[in-house]
Amino acid sequence: MSVLVWVIYDIVENKPRTRVAKECKKAGLIRVQKSVFLGKLESNRFDELSEKCLDLIDEETDSVYLFPFCQEDFKNIRVHGQGFDKKLVNDEILAMFF
Amino acid sequence: MQLVINSAGTYITQKDGIFRLKNKDRSFDVSPQKVESIVVSNQAMITTQAIVAALENNIDIIFLDGYGDPIGRVWFAKMGSTALIRRKQLEIAEDKKGLELVTDMIRKKIENQTGFLKKLMYARPGKESFFENPIKIIDSALAGLDMYNGTVEDSRNSIMGVEGTACRAYFQCLSRLMPEKYIFRGRSRQPAKDPFNAVLNYCYGILYSRIEKACILAGLDPYVGFLHTDNYNKKSMVFDLIEPFRIFAEQTAVYLFTGKKIKDEYFRTTDNAVSLNDKGKPLVIDAINSHMDETVRYRKKNVKRKYIPQHEAHRLANILLADEGEKRPEWLGIKEF
């Protein structure tokens, strides 16, 4: 089972912040804003990412949100200005030509 | 997704466990989690770290030639599963069971052909006369398949003959459905003589690499076939096992043409050869990928077409492993039509 996820964070120190960003990228999420990631994950990968983020941050000062949401909601997303590629985020691109 | 490298001079590197593709000022990062395979069909550079990252994540790197045929692949040093399967494969090739398996594969292939023709026929009311004769020819060829016994060796030529007869009728019938300027005369390979064959060959090429992957994962030796004779570097097993699945490539090619998605500018024509150019290839790859990504009914489940060859390869391996007298598991349960 895979699930769509928003990951949003506020981290004070530089080092853990970059580590969290790297973990998100590694998990296959796509950076949509400086501290916002979006993408589709297997549900056990979702748990894995959540544990990793918990390890990295300082719970006294930082916060990381992992929001799972459904396809229904994804359809209703509205984007203004510089947006992301909806198909890429939703794993609908089957072949990427480069 | 499938990463297709088709612009010259692309660098494929790896940074922090993520693939990075770079070409002049274009760059694209992608996590190995999202990549299924990397297909290189043009000059590119790939670092060893990127290769290792691909191997670690079970991603195979395939190199294609201009016709879309796989010329090589990077795969881990080990074959999947047990060597017993490969040993059995050799034994059965000379056995009665080998013949049974071969006729199963060819029968399924021919059934797929009539199934597809009938489906096309129902979609074209009033044109039944186009189809009736070819379907009759194919059906009577199919009836000839059940008579063989002994080993594959004895009946190889007659099986190939049945297959050839069915194939000719099938493609003649398909040809008449094409838009007028794309009507073709029979199959042609290396080189293709017309756009339809060029597209079909390219689709088959992509399918080959998928079937080969399925063979390796199931522990089958791609080089030891039943019907197709062994030869230097000939992937006989792949050629055997692809038969029931060829329909996926054929459907893709036919729908591309009947759906009027094909334009003359997608092809490069030389003296008597036609091949896809850089505009045409992405279209065809996209088409076959989305066709393989469609969900169909398979063994009482909804399964994407791309997973079916893998399931069937595993079933074949299980048949090879089964003891004498043990009830043979059913296989080739592809119910497309």
Side-chain angles (χ1 to χ4, degrees):
Chain A
M1 271 304 287
S2 53
V3 57
L4 279 156
V5 190
W6 286 105
V7 178
I8 301 163
Y9 53 78
D10 228 332
I11 297 170
V12 180
E13 295 282 328
N14 284 333
K15 209 173 163 191
R17 197 187 315 120
T18 14
R19 289 283 309 272
V20 167
K22 273 182 190 169
E23 288 301 337
C24 290
K25 272 192 194 167
K26 225 190 266 182
L29 299 180
I30 287 152
R31 192 167 214 153
V32 293
Q33 276 186 9
K34 282 221 167 108
S35 48
V36 182
F37 282 84
L38 170 62
K40 220 177 191 178
L41 291 182
E42 289 292 311
S43 22
N44 46 354
R45 296 272 172 204
F46 173 73
D47 296 337
E48 189 184 332
L49 183 64
S50 147
E51 288 301 314
K52 274 183 183 159
C53 293
L54 180 62
D55 275 352
L56 291 169
I57 60 167
D58 175 0
E59 282 172 76
E60 298 296 313
T61 55
D62 305 337
S63 58
V64 176
Y65 302 98
L66 294 108
F67 286 124
F69 66 114
C70 62
Q71 284 293 339
E72 199 72 8
D73 291 336
F74 186 78
K75 274 189 212 127
N76 296 325
I77 286 180
R78 287 177 203 184
V79 182
H80 303 299
Q82 293 298 308
F84 51 85
D85 185 345
K86 273 197 169 187
K87 280 192 165 165
L88 185 65
V89 167
N90 205 13
D91 281 358
E92 279 168 22
I93 293 187
L94 301 172
M96 177 81 198
F97 298 93
F98 201 88
Chain B
M1 74 176 86
Q2 202 174 24
L3 285 180
V4 186
I5 313 297
N6 61 350
S7 45
T10 304
Y11 287 93
I12 309 165
T13 52
Q14 183 260 126
K15 191 157 191 295
D16 301 323
I18 302 160
F19 291 125
R20 175 162 291 172
L21 307 182
K22 245 197 236 159
N23 195 333
K24 298 196 185 95
D25 45 359
R26 247 176 6 129
S27 128
F28 177 70
D29 281 1
V30 61
S31 155
Q33 303 287 343
K34 299 281 170 185
V35 182
E36 196 186 336
S37 60
I38 302 176
V39 180
V40 183
S41 65
N42 215 326
Q43 301 96 318
M45 277 157 270
I46 180 162
T47 62
T48 46
Q49 286 116 307
I51 296 177
V52 171
L55 292 179
E56 278 170 352
N57 288 284
N58 245 338
I59 300 164
D60 54 342
I61 305 171
I62 307 160
F63 300 95
L64 298 184
D65 67 7
Y67 297 109
D69 289 329
I71 42 180
R73 77 189 316 143
V74 183
W75 192 256
F76 15 77
K78 291 185 185 106
M79 273 222 172
S81 207
T82 142
L84 184 63
I85 296 178
R86 272 170 279 155
R87 205 174 312 187
K88 286 273 187 187
Q89 209 178 322
L90 282 167
E91 279 171 24
I92 284 170
E94 319 215 309
D95 201 353
K96 196 169 132 267
K97 211 161 156 192
L99 182 71
E100 280 172 29
L101 292 175
V102 164
T103 36
D104 280 356
M105 287 188 259
I106 300 297
R107 184 180 304 118
K108 192 76 222 175
K109 174 196 178 172
I110 298 178
E111 280 171 10
N112 283 340
Q113 291 177 340
T114 40
F116 187 38
L117 288 186
K118 278 179 191 156
K119 189 174 168 193
L120 290 168
M121 179 169 82
Y122 297 137
R124 289 166 178 71
K127 288 192 176 169
E128 281 85 355
S129 59
F130 272 30
F131 296 91
E132 276 157 1
N133 206 24
I135 290 179
K136 223 182 280 167
I137 296 175
I138 298 174
D139 276 341
S140 62
L142 190 61
L145 257 191
D146 294 320
M147 312 184 302
Y148 305 118
N149 46 47
T151 65
V152 185
E153 200 59 56
D154 306 332
S155 344
R156 175 170 292 129
N157 286 336
S158 22
I159 296 179
M160 292 274 217
V162 167
E163 190 197 346
T165 316
C167 229
R168 260 191 309 279
Y170 175 62
F171 281 109
Q172 255 165 26
C173 186
L174 288 184
S175 169
R176 303 175 69 176
L177 306 176
M178 295 292 125
E180 205 155 318
K181 65 176 170 177
Y182 292 121
I183 286 178
F184 58 91
R185 311 185 61 178
R187 287 279 292 135
S188 50
R189 266 171 289 234
Q190 285 181 356
K193 292 200 176 102
D194 48 72
F196 180 81
N197 278 295
V199 171
L200 189 62
N201 289 344
Y202 203 78
C203 290
Y204 280 157
I206 296 167
L207 206 59
Y208 278 130
S209 83
R210 283 180 178 266
I211 304 290
E212 191 189 350
K213 184 179 179 182
C215 279
I216 297 172
L217 285 179
L220 299 165
D221 188 333
Y223 293 90
V224 179
F226 301 147
L227 182 64
H228 289 87
T229 42
D230 306 331
N231 210 331
Y232 283 112
N233 293 331
K234 192 167 159 193
K235 297 197 172 99
S236 324
M237 190 66 222
V238 181
F239 287 115
D240 282 355
L241 193 60
I242 199 176
E243 298 293 0
F245 305 107
R246 280 186 192 274
I247 191 73
F248 297 151
E250 287 152 13
Q251 285 170 319
T252 309
V254 169
Y255 289 141
L256 273 175
F257 279 92
T258 54
K260 302 224 166 30
K261 301 266 165 48
I262 294 289
K263 293 184 193 138
D264 286 343
E265 65 192 65
Y266 295 148
F267 300 96
R268 189 174 46 224
T269 320
T270 49
D271 288 344
N272 57 22
V274 179
S275 59
L276 281 162
N277 63 18
D278 288 347
K279 267 194 203 142
K281 281 177 195 168
L283 180 94
V284 174
I285 295 177
D286 247 352
I288 192 159
N289 273 332
S290 38
H291 188 68
M292 297 294 275
D293 206 54
E294 274 168 23
T295 305
V296 289
R297 206 66 188 155
Y298 169 74
R299 295 190 190 277
K300 296 182 185 146
K301 276 181 289 208
N302 294 327
V303 177
K304 286 183 177 174
R305 284 200 183 98
K306 61 180 172 187
Y307 299 126
I308 296 179
Q310 187 62 68
H311 286 295
E312 293 301 326
H314 278 297
R315 277 175 181 269
L316 176 59
N318 280 334
I319 293 175
L320 296 180
L321 285 177
D323 289 325
E324 200 68 35
E326 198 175 307
K327 194 174 173 293
R328 199 176 85 174
E330 291 244 344
W331 80 306
L332 292 179
I334 326 159
K335 286 228 176 54
E336 266 274 351
F337 305 103

